């Protein structure tokens, strides 16, 4: 069994900051990549940022320069530092991990339950 648990969401004023965390636990052999996605009401889920096991990062254009993704490999945890938040960043943020549960298994995507981020004055 694998679990991804997000934390750190909440209500923040425009221009403010939040830090999201996502910890993966359970029968994990190794994690290839982790990332953050978000889904606003009435919209499709979209990529926010990803980070590979080697530390390579990728960001959506809408968050470049404002968000930073990082990872603690030893703790199987990924973080998303969000600065200069805007109303349009309001969404449910989901964590995803591409991992395998054994040395011979396939990499499979696992998702967290999501955490709400609301940017409003």
């Amino acid at each position: 069994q694998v679990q991804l648990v997000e934390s750190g969401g909440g209500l923040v004023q425009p221009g403010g900051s939040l830090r999201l965390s996502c910890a993966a636990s359970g029968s994990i052999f190794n994690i290839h990549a982790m990332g953050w996605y978000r889904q606003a009401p009435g919209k499709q889920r979209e990529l926010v940022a990803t980070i590979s096991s080697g530390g390579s990062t990728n960001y959506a254009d809408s968050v470049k320069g404002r968000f930073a993704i990082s990872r603690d490999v030893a703790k199987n945890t990924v973080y998303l530092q969000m600065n200069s938040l805007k109303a349009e960043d309001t969404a449910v943020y989901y964590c995803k991990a591409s991992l395998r549960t054994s040395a011979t298994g396939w990499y499979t995507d696992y998702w967290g339950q999501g955490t709400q981020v609301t940017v409003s004055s």
Side-chain angles (χ1 to χ4, degrees):
Q1 299 287 350
V2 174
Q3 273 193 318
L4 272 65
V5 179
E6 300 112 332
S7 60
L11 173 64
V12 63
Q13 291 187 342
S17 298
L18 280 176
R19 188 188 193 216
L20 305 182
S21 300
C22 171
S25 62
S27 301
I28 299 170
F29 179 76
N30 77 296
I31 300 177
H32 169 56
M34 300 185 80
W36 290 95
Y37 295 73
R38 67 187 181 187
Q39 187 166 17
K43 295 187 176 181
Q44 289 189 330
R45 191 173 296 188
E46 63 177 4
L47 179 148
V48 176
T50 61
I51 184 166
S52 72
S53 57
S56 297
T57 58
N58 180 48
Y59 294 93
D61 288 343
S62 59
V63 306
K64 282 181 181 177
R66 300 188 298 122
F67 291 10
I69 189 170
S70 60
R71 180 174 170 180
D72 186 329
V73 175
K75 295 182 178 179
N76 289 334
T77 300
V78 65
Y79 306 94
L80 185 68
Q81 178 66 43
M82 304 186 293
N83 300 323
S84 302
L85 282 160
K86 306 175 181 179
E88 49 264 44
D89 295 317
T90 296
V92 177
Y93 283 70
Y94 297 90
C95 170
K96 187 180 85 169
S98 176
L99 61 88
R100 53 180 179 171
T101 57
S102 70
T104 56
W106 295 97
Y107 283 100
T108 303
D109 290 339
Y110 291 82
W111 291 87
Q113 81 288 352
T115 184
Q116 177 70 47
V117 172
T118 302
V119 185
S120 175
S121 54

